[in-house]
Amino acid sequence: MSVFSSNVFTGKHALVTGATGGIGYETAKVLTAMGADVTITGRKEDVLNQLKGDIQSEQPYAKVVSVVADLAEASDREKLVQTAQEKLGPISLLVNSAGISGGSVVEELTQDVLERIMHLNYTVPIMLSQQIYKTMKENQEGAIVNVSSLSGLRGTYAGTAYVGSKFALNGFTQSFALEAIEHNVRVNAVCPGYVDTEMGRDGIRRKGERENRSFEEQFETESRNLPSGRISTPKEVANTIAFLLSDAAENIVGEAVKISGGSVMR
C-alpha cells in the first residue's frame, strides 16, 4: 500500500547508494514511483541491472542511471557523482544506504575489521555527502537521509564495531543537520531494527548461532518478541525514507526515526 503521489519528486534527481541491498533496492523503486529521476549504485552490476529492469517494467518512463562503484574508494565516489550529474542533472535527494555489518566481541576484534566498518558506515557517507552538498547549498535545496540502525541508539552484544559506526553516523546526522538547514537542506536518519533483508537475516543467523538456535527458530523468536509481532520489511523502511525526503517532512531536521516494531518501548 502507498499513500504517496506519483508526482511528489517530479523534476528531482535522487542518488541511492547501496541499491543492491534490500533497503536501497526498495527505496529506489519507491522514489521512481513518486516521480524522481534516480541514480542507483552498488558493487553488484547484475543486481543493479535487475533493479533497473524492475523499475522500468513498473515505471516505463522512469529515468534511471546505474553506476557500478565501490564507495570505499574516493575515485569511485568522484566518478559516481560526476556520471550521475552529467546524465540526470544536479542531485537534490541523497540516500546513504550503503553499509556493512560484522565485527565481534572486543577481545577478538581486529583493527582491520574495525577500521573497515567505520570507513564504510561512517566516513564514506560523510565524504559523499560533502561532494553532493556543494550543489545543494548553491541551489538552496536538498534533502539527505542516512540509513542508520537501532544499533546507533543502544549497544548490542559483540556490536562494538557496527554499533560504534552507527552511533557515529547518528552524530554526523545531527551535526550536519545544524549546518545544512541554514541553506534549506534537511538531513535526517532512519534507524531500523531487524529488517527482512540479506543483512538482517545474517544478523539473526549469527545471533541464533550464539544462542544454539537455528535461523528459523531465531527468526521466530525475534519476531515474537516485538510488540508488533513481526520484523519490518524493506518497503516499510523505504516509505519512511521517502517521507523524510519529501516536503511533507519539511520541519523534520536532524532526527533519527526509529522503525522498531515497538521494540524500543521494552
Side-chain angles (χ1 to χ4, degrees), residues 6-217:
S6 61
N7 61 6
V8 171
F9 296 128
T10 299
K12 305 284 188 183
H13 176 192
L15 169 60
V16 180
T17 74
T20 55
I23 292 172
Y25 198 103
E26 289 299 325
T27 299
K29 291 173 65 177
V30 169
L31 296 182
T32 51
M34 296 169 69
D37 301 332
V38 175
T39 297
I40 53 175
T41 189
R43 290 179 295 173
K44 300 175 183 176
E45 185 173 12
D46 58 332
V47 181
L48 289 176
N49 289 338
Q50 178 184 332
L51 172 56
K52 187 173 182 178
D54 285 352
I55 290 171
Q56 293 181 328
S57 68
E58 296 174 8
Q59 308 290 332
Y61 301 106
K63 294 180 181 178
V64 183
V65 170
S66 170
V67 181
V68 178
D70 180 356
L71 298 185
E73 302 296 329
S75 58
D76 276 23
R77 295 195 298 270
E78 292 171 4
K79 178 191 76 172
L80 167 64
V81 174
Q82 181 178 354
T83 301
Q85 297 196 142
E86 284 177 353
K87 296 196 173 184
L88 293 178
I91 297 165
S92 56
L93 307 172
L94 171 62
V95 180
N96 284 311
S97 183
I100 58 172
S101 61
S104 62
V105 294
V106 171
E107 60 188 330
E108 298 173 5
L109 186 62
T110 66
Q111 184 170 333
D112 286 347
V113 168
L114 175 62
E115 291 180 348
R116 175 168 171 75
I117 291 173
M118 288 298 295
H119 182 65
L120 288 169
N121 289 359
Y122 176 61
T123 305
V124 166
I126 293 175
M127 302 314 295
L128 183 61
S129 297
Q130 183 186 65
Q131 283 182 261
I132 294 168
Y133 177 58
K134 294 175 183 177
T135 303
M136 290 181 174
K137 185 177 177 180
E138 289 172 3
N139 294 336
Q140 293 287 293
E141 176 189 48
I144 298 171
V145 174
N146 297 317
V147 178
S148 184
S149 170
L150 289 184
S151 294
L153 301 173
R154 80 284 190 272
T156 61
Y157 186 89
T160 293
Y162 181 73
V163 168
S165 72
K166 294 300 186 178
F167 263 83
L169 184 62
N170 285 345
F172 162 59
T173 298
Q174 292 187 9
S175 296
F176 187 28
L178 292 174
E179 301 171 22
I181 195 60
E182 296 178 357
H183 304 283
N184 199 36
V185 177
R186 292 184 304 103
V187 183
N188 289 288
V190 291
C191 294
Y194 281 127
V195 181
D196 193 10
T197 64
E198 182 178 348
M199 183 183 291
R201 290 188 290 272
D202 283 346
I204 292 171
R205 186 174 293 107
R206 289 195 302 271
K207 188 172 181 180
E209 289 171 356
R210 292 198 305 270
E211 300 186 5
N212 295 315
R213 294 192 184 105
S214 69
F215 166 76
E216 291 76 15
E217 290 171 331

